[in-house]
Amino acid sequence: RLSQKMLKYVLCLPEGRCIYANMQAFICFLISCNIGEICAILLATLSGVPEPLTAMHLLWVNLVTDGPPATALGFNPPVPDLMKQPPRPSDEPIMTPWLITRYCLTGLYVGIATVGVFVEHYLSMGVSLKQLSSWGKCGEFWNPSNPDLSCDDLFTGHGRILPQTLSLTTLVCMEMLKALAAVSVDNSLFSVGPHKNPLLVLGVTIPMLLHLAVVYGSKFGLRGLSESFGMTPLSKKNWIAVLKWSAPVLLVEEVLKAIGRRLNAKQKLKEKTK
């Protein structure tokens, strides 16, 4: 009877650890995404630039592009070193102080990139940072350097929708990349890749296709779809800007994961020397 109990324990332990890790990945992904959105709005407000995301954009991100990847993270396979990890204290929170710090840093970059691609667009239009921070006074205290552009051309209609589409698409791309990197909380993307969780690949592909369908709706005769979400088609140049700002989030994740692995190694060594 004892051997049967031990067998059940041995079989259940890896499953329990895997469930805990998946819960951690699910919660951390959603929290880090929300921190990024908060940082974007906060940075835009503090700097005085126009809002890079509308309420409809935030609703789109939270309901469509966050939900499927987060759900798919619940089906992550066990990581290779799962059973080599020491037992966790019973009172250890699922969001440790390091994880909170880590996802605040990731969220800060997400916020900077979301606002950065927005500001970069206006800088390319000849609007300085000082002018952009006082955009509401355009035509009163300053005028566009390009004589072919008016204040309305820059801050209303298509002039406003294009940079907002850039910001939203950059945010969506970063969250999809973050989801692909979240198969393991601490292991590198190169050692535990997203291909190990086919549902995650599907959970990232479908929302991305839906986003592209809305962005390019007018190209397929669905202009009302794009207009209702306040989006407009992006050019090749626009996509280069999106990738330039969104791709580095993988580097940020890898660096923070490496720091996390080092902290875990130090903690293991400390426990062994006790």
Side-chain angles (χ1 to χ4, degrees), residues 90-183:
S90 59
D91 58 345
E92 181 182 276
I94 196 166
M95 283 288 289
T96 62
W98 161 243
L99 284 180
I100 294 173
T101 303
R102 170 180 157 182
Y103 290 116
C104 282
L105 292 174
T106 306
L108 179 61
Y109 175 76
V110 170
I112 291 173
T114 302
V115 177
V117 71
F118 183 87
V119 172
E120 183 185 53
H121 171 78
Y122 278 107
L123 292 178
S124 69
M125 300 288 287
V127 180
S128 67
L129 285 174
K130 184 177 180 180
Q131 291 172 335
L132 189 59
S133 63
S134 59
W135 65 276
K137 298 178 181 179
C138 180
E140 183 179 356
F141 292 101
W142 64 272
N143 290 295
S145 58
N146 188 339
D148 296 329
L149 294 175
S150 66
C151 294
D152 288 340
D153 293 332
L154 290 172
F155 301 113
T156 61
H158 184 268
R160 182 73 163 268
I161 292 175
L162 177 56
Q164 286 183 335
T165 304
L166 284 169
S167 288
L168 178 60
T169 304
T170 300
L171 177 61
V172 169
C173 287
M174 284 190 289
E175 295 192 353
M176 297 300 102
L177 292 173
K178 275 162 43 41
L180 293 174
V183 177

Side-chain angles (χ1 to χ4, degrees), residues 33-272:
C33 288
N34 289 328
I35 290 175
E37 294 161 22
I38 292 170
C39 286
I41 299 301
L42 185 61
L43 287 173
T45 302
L46 292 177
S47 60
V49 303
E51 62 273 10
L53 301 169
T54 66
M56 180 64 79
H57 294 160
L58 293 173
L59 187 64
W60 173 256
V61 169
N62 285 296
L63 293 182
V64 180
T65 62
D66 280 358
T71 303
L73 287 173
F75 297 91
N76 282 339
V79 294
D81 61 344
L82 184 67
M83 295 308 297
K84 295 180 181 179
Q85 299 173 5
R88 290 183 176 85
S90 59
D91 58 345
E92 181 182 276
I94 196 166
M95 283 288 289
T96 62
W98 161 243
L99 284 180
I100 294 173
T101 303
R102 170 180 157 182
Y103 290 116
C104 282
L105 292 174
T106 306
L108 179 61
Y109 175 76
V110 170
I112 291 173
T114 302
V115 177
V117 71
F118 183 87
V119 172
E120 183 185 53
H121 171 78
Y122 278 107
L123 292 178
S124 69
M125 300 288 287
V127 180
S128 67
L129 285 174
K130 184 177 180 180
Q131 291 172 335
L132 189 59
S133 63
S134 59
W135 65 276
K137 298 178 181 179
C138 180
E140 183 179 356
F141 292 101
W142 64 272
N143 290 295
S145 58
N146 188 339
D148 296 329
L149 294 175
S150 66
C151 294
D152 288 340
D153 293 332
L154 290 172
F155 301 113
T156 61
H158 184 268
R160 182 73 163 268
I161 292 175
L162 177 56
Q164 286 183 335
T165 304
L166 284 169
S167 288
L168 178 60
T169 304
T170 300
L171 177 61
V172 169
C173 287
M174 284 190 289
E175 295 192 353
M176 297 300 102
L177 292 173
K178 275 162 43 41
L180 293 174
V183 177
S184 172
V185 174
D186 289 317
N187 286 277
S188 170
L189 174 67
F190 300 102
S191 61
V192 184
H195 64 280
K196 294 183 179 295
N197 185 354
L199 287 177
L200 177 60
V201 176
L202 188 64
V204 167
T205 302
I206 292 176
M208 196 66 206
L209 290 175
L210 288 174
H211 181 74
L212 292 175
V214 174
V215 170
Y216 292 99
S218 59
K219 297 284 187 180
F220 300 101
L222 300 174
R223 182 176 297 275
L225 180 64
S226 299
E227 291 179 350
S228 62
F229 284 94
M231 299 188 213
T232 190
L234 299 178
S235 66
K236 182 180 178 180
K237 181 181 177 181
N238 295 147
W239 274 108
I240 292 174
V242 167
L243 294 176
K244 180 180 71 175
W245 285 96
S246 60
V249 76
L250 288 177
L251 178 61
V252 174
E253 283 284 343
E254 287 299 311
V255 170
L256 293 174
K257 281 185 176 184
I259 296 173
R261 290 195 296 273
R262 176 163 291 191
L263 292 175
N264 290 338
K266 287 183 178 180
Q267 183 64 27
K268 289 180 183 178
L269 184 61
K270 185 178 179 180
E271 290 176 357
K272 287 181 179 180

